[in-house]
Amino acid sequence: GDATMFKGFTVHGGTTRVLVHGKGPSLTNLGISGALSNPSITIYDTSGNVVGSNDDWASGASAGELTGNAFEPAHSQDSALILDLAPGAYTAMLSGSGSEAGQGILEVSEFNATNSTYFTSYTTRAQVSAGSTLIQGISLDNASGTHKYLVRVQGASSLAALGVPNGLADPVLNVYDNAGTLLHTVDN
């Protein structure tokens, strides 16, 4: 639905341990108001089968592996899940409890990055109102040297052709580095 965030990604090169993390309550510690109080995550394969889900990471199957390491979620009601995923395309979904809407972050990352496995095709779809901001973070930790990446935003006309209603009429794309410096702006 409109209050759900979708993130598509593709695994290449072999079975990979993947961390999917849905943040809500922990965002209030960062000064973000209106954060989801109890987000849940669900991961689907290309056939629409659920390959994993979580609500409240500390009570989930990955709690033992997440506790006490750098990936441990900051709040008990954030969602997190570690999965072993075969090569292929997947969709992760972040939603609030019941019909709750609010601010959230959905992260997908390799949990055991190797030189033979990698992600491509990070995409995000979420409801964005005029004047609001959607943040899509992409980490390129293992990248060295100069690389070219395609980063784009789609508005109402291209989304309508895909059957997605209510797209923004005039979206703007801003690209920032990890220090918050604006690198590039695209408006039309």
Side-chain angles (χ1 to χ4, degrees):
D2 287 342
T4 301
M5 179 181 287
F6 299 85
K7 183 177 292 274
F9 62 98
T10 305
V11 174
H12 296 273
T15 299
T16 303
R17 285 188 76 63
V18 175
L19 169 64
V20 182
H21 186 183
K23 295 181 181 181
S26 61
L27 298 178
T28 58
N29 297 338
L30 302 172
I32 297 173
S33 61
L36 293 170
S37 64
N38 190 12
S40 64
I41 53 176
T42 307
I43 299 85
Y44 296 88
D45 65 15
T46 56
S47 297
N49 299 312
V50 174
V51 296
S53 63
N54 179 258
D55 180 16
D56 302 342
W57 75 271
S59 62
S62 303
E65 198 167 356
L66 289 167
T67 301
N69 72 35
F71 299 102
E72 181 176 339
H75 194 283
S76 63
Q77 287 187 303
D78 281 344
S79 298
L81 182 63
I82 299 171
L83 298 166
D84 292 311
L85 296 178
Y90 298 89
T91 300
M93 293 174 50
L94 172 73
S95 58
S97 179
S99 61
E100 178 190 26
Q103 302 294 321
I105 294 177
L106 179 58
E107 299 174 333
V108 179
S109 57
E110 290 180 274
F111 196 68
N112 68 333
T114 68
N115 290 334
S116 63
T117 62
Y118 60 95
F119 281 170
T120 62
S121 302
Y122 282 109
T123 61
T124 298
R125 181 176 77 86
Q127 185 71 29
V128 180
S129 301
S132 66
T133 302
L134 174 66
I135 298 172
Q136 167 66 42
I138 300 173
S139 174
L140 304 172
D141 294 336
N142 292 332
S144 60
T146 301
H147 300 277
K148 291 184 179 184
Y149 296 94
L150 170 65
V151 181
R152 68 181 185 160
V153 61
Q154 291 182 287
S157 59
S158 58
L159 292 175
L162 298 170
V164 178
N166 306 319
L168 292 175
D170 186 20
V172 176
L173 173 67
N174 293 317
V175 179
Y176 296 86
D177 67 11
N178 62 344
T181 303
L182 180 63
L183 301 176
H184 197 73
T185 296
V186 177
D187 185 7
N188 299 325

